[in-house]
Amino acid sequence: MIKNIVLLGATGSIGDSTLKVLRKNPQSLKLVGIAGYSRWKELAEIAREFSVLDVGLFDEERCAEAKNSGLFSPETRWYAGAQGLRDLAVLPDAHTVVMAVVGTAGLLPTLDAIKNGKTIALASKEVLVKAGKFVMAAVRKHKVNILPVDSEHNALYQCMHGHPREHVDKLILTASGGAFLNKRLCDLQHISPQDALKHPNWKMGPKVTIDSSTMANKGLELIEAHWLYDMPAERLNVVIHPQSIVHSMVQYVDGTILAHLSPPCMTFPIQHCLLYPERAEGVRATLDFSTLMQLEFRPADPQRFACLRLAQEALRHNGVAPAIFNAANEIAVEAFIHASLPYLRIPNVIEETLESAKTFEPTSLEDVLDADLEARRIANKVVLSYIRG
């Protein structure tokens, strides 16, 4: 059977890797719906190549431009804005929805897709970080699969497959350490956004690349792992692994550790999610153990990586604290990208926001969204105080 795929976030880095998997597996996978934020010319190329007629753009003005461009088929069915993403996520003929939308915009489409019985290939961290309690409750209620696209969570998924959860002792996520792993903190005083966007191993979007260098990204992944695998904070570990070849490890109660290895390329976890439970030849060659290879591991220093420590504290508090962490980090990173906030102030913004915002156990999705908005208000105020000196 051919699986029909909806790709939300088609023009981003995850979208690009997903398209490579689709090109490799035309006999098994068919793209039936796509959406991007505003880059409609790239979306037009994708629509033509894969003969896609259901097309969405989050930016409604750019959607109007695209409609009148003449670059899409006259039979194209258009989906605009936030509601457009939700409508694409529940296309009747779709089997799997790849959720690669950055930020809060992916939350409601994910919940809609779950309620409509779609398999979710999840790449949007914010979905579980902000609303894991409600998303996983919906997954259980509607008995759907949520397959993690993140290389770390996909590695955990594969290493845990076929093993009872009670046999698992710890989950160990690996982290590259980002662009500044071997720099001293004092050398990061004048880091520019251009410096932070040079990841040694991965090709990712700007936000994720900067999060990798601060280890906020790994903190978000710990929170995701908590929800995906129902694992308490004290049994979730992080180790630095600069080569990005071992993507995560699972330690079992007998002391055995299973590790997942592959080259640092997102086509591997994406193909696993889209073809699951089947397997096929990959997009690119795998590891070659006949050549010299070094695998290095070291502990993650909580003082060196303050964002990781703050994420762990937010996870221990739980409730809306992870959503507050995520919101404050987004505001801080955006301010850094626009060259107004010093790089080393990113964790300060997060910490002050966590201290000022109210933490509580949410009883509804609206509670989470309200906490997110309040955290952003506080974080913006903190950023402004640092900019003004």
Side-chain angles (χ1 to χ4, degrees):
M1 181 189 80
I2 294 181
K3 290 184 181 178
N4 291 333
I5 309 298
V6 168
L7 174 55
L8 303 183
T11 57
S13 60
I14 294 295
D16 183 62
S17 293
T18 301
L19 296 176
K20 292 176 182 176
V21 173
L22 290 166
R23 293 185 188 106
K24 183 72 176 180
N25 296 278
Q27 75 289 348
S28 304
L29 305 170
K30 177 177 174 56
L31 190 62
V32 297
I34 53 175
Y37 184 81
S38 61
R39 288 147 54 183
W40 58 265
K41 291 181 181 178
E42 294 177 34
L43 216 58
E45 294 176 6
I46 298 169
R48 287 197 300 271
E49 178 183 354
F50 291 92
S51 302
V52 180
L53 296 179
D54 290 283
V55 178
L57 279 158
F58 188 81
D59 186 320
E60 296 190 34
E61 289 187 16
R62 300 290 85 77
C63 189
E65 287 180 10
K67 285 183 183 179
N68 298 321
S69 69
L71 295 181
F72 293 83
S73 166
E75 299 175 4
T76 297
R77 294 175 287 271
W78 291 96
Y79 301 78
Q83 185 59 50
L85 293 183
R86 299 182 69 175
D87 293 340
L88 274 170
V90 297
L91 283 182
D93 57 344
H95 300 110
T96 299
V97 176
V98 179
M99 184 54 61
V101 175
V102 177
T104 305
L107 177 54
L108 293 179
T110 298
L111 286 168
D112 290 341
I114 291 169
K115 292 172 185 175
N116 281 268
K118 312 298 185 186
T119 295
I120 307 297
L122 185 63
S124 301
K125 290 179 171 57
E126 297 84 359
V127 168
L128 289 178
V129 170
K130 291 178 63 171
K133 173 181 179 179
F134 304 102
V135 172
M136 296 311 294
V139 166
R140 291 189 293 271
K141 179 179 178 180
H142 296 282
K143 297 180 174 59
V144 302
N145 272 338
I146 184 165
L147 301 170
V149 167
D150 267 351
S151 64
E152 295 82 1
H153 299 108
N154 188 266
L156 293 172
Y157 189 96
Q158 295 195 52
C159 287
M160 294 173 72
H161 186 72
H163 297 274
R165 184 186 171 282
E166 58 268 23
H167 289 176
V168 176
D169 183 29
K170 293 179 183 177
L171 303 183
I172 305 168
L173 282 74
T174 56
S176 69
F180 311 128
L181 176 61
N182 297 313
K183 286 185 176 291
R184 299 173 300 171
L185 275 177
C186 61
D187 295 329
L188 303 181
Q189 293 286 348
H190 304 293
I191 288 297
S192 71
Q194 291 71 31
D195 296 327
L197 290 173
K198 299 173 184 176
H199 195 283
N201 301 331
W202 295 96
K203 180 184 177 183
M204 304 179 292
K207 164 70 163 51
V208 179
T209 304
I210 291 168
D211 281 353
S212 177
S213 71
T214 66
M215 291 276 276
N217 197 45
K218 206 54 52 178
L220 294 171
E221 289 171 7
L222 285 177
I223 297 166
E224 284 185 278
H226 163 72
W227 289 112
L228 280 170
Y229 305 114
D230 191 23
M231 196 66 63
E234 60 271 16
R235 291 166 64 187
L236 296 169
N237 291 19
V238 171
V239 297
I240 302 290
H241 171 53
Q243 293 79 24
S244 298
I245 290 174
V246 176
H247 296 286
S248 277
M249 297 172 277
V250 177
Q251 180 173 317
Y252 288 91
V253 292
D254 61 0
T256 298
I257 298 175
L258 298 187
H260 174 284
L261 286 72
S262 73
C265 174
M266 286 305 299
T267 59
F268 288 94
I270 291 170
Q271 179 161 312
H272 174 261
C273 290
L274 296 188
L275 293 182
Y276 181 85
E278 303 300 324
R279 292 186 185 264
E281 182 182 352
V283 171
R284 59 166 287 183
T286 190
L287 302 170
D288 181 2
F289 287 98
S290 68
T291 62
L292 184 64
M293 184 185 306
Q294 181 179 5
L295 300 179
E296 175 190 354
F297 301 91
R298 66 179 88 162
D301 181 357
Q303 300 307 314
R304 174 69 172 77
F305 297 107
C307 289
L308 175 61
R309 171 178 57 80
L310 292 168
Q312 290 170 317
E313 291 175 5
L315 178 55
R316 285 192 288 269
H317 282 97
N318 217 331
V320 296
I324 294 169
F325 171 90
N326 176 71
N329 180 63
E330 285 188 9
I331 295 298
V333 170
E334 183 179 5
F336 168 67
I337 289 174
H338 290 93
S340 56
L341 183 75
Y343 178 80
L344 290 180
R345 289 298 189 187
I346 293 174
N348 295 131
V349 172
I350 298 171
E351 188 162 26
E352 291 190 36
T353 305
L354 282 168
E355 290 173 352
S356 299
K358 294 179 181 178
T359 57
F360 58 92
E361 185 62 35
T363 58
S364 68
L365 191 58
E366 288 70 26
D367 285 346
V368 175
L369 297 178
D370 288 345
D372 174 82
L373 287 174
E374 176 65 6
R376 291 174 191 275
R377 184 191 66 79
I378 294 170
N380 274 311
K381 186 176 179 180
V382 175
V383 166
L384 192 59
S385 71
Y386 282 121
I387 294 173
R388 289 175 173 173

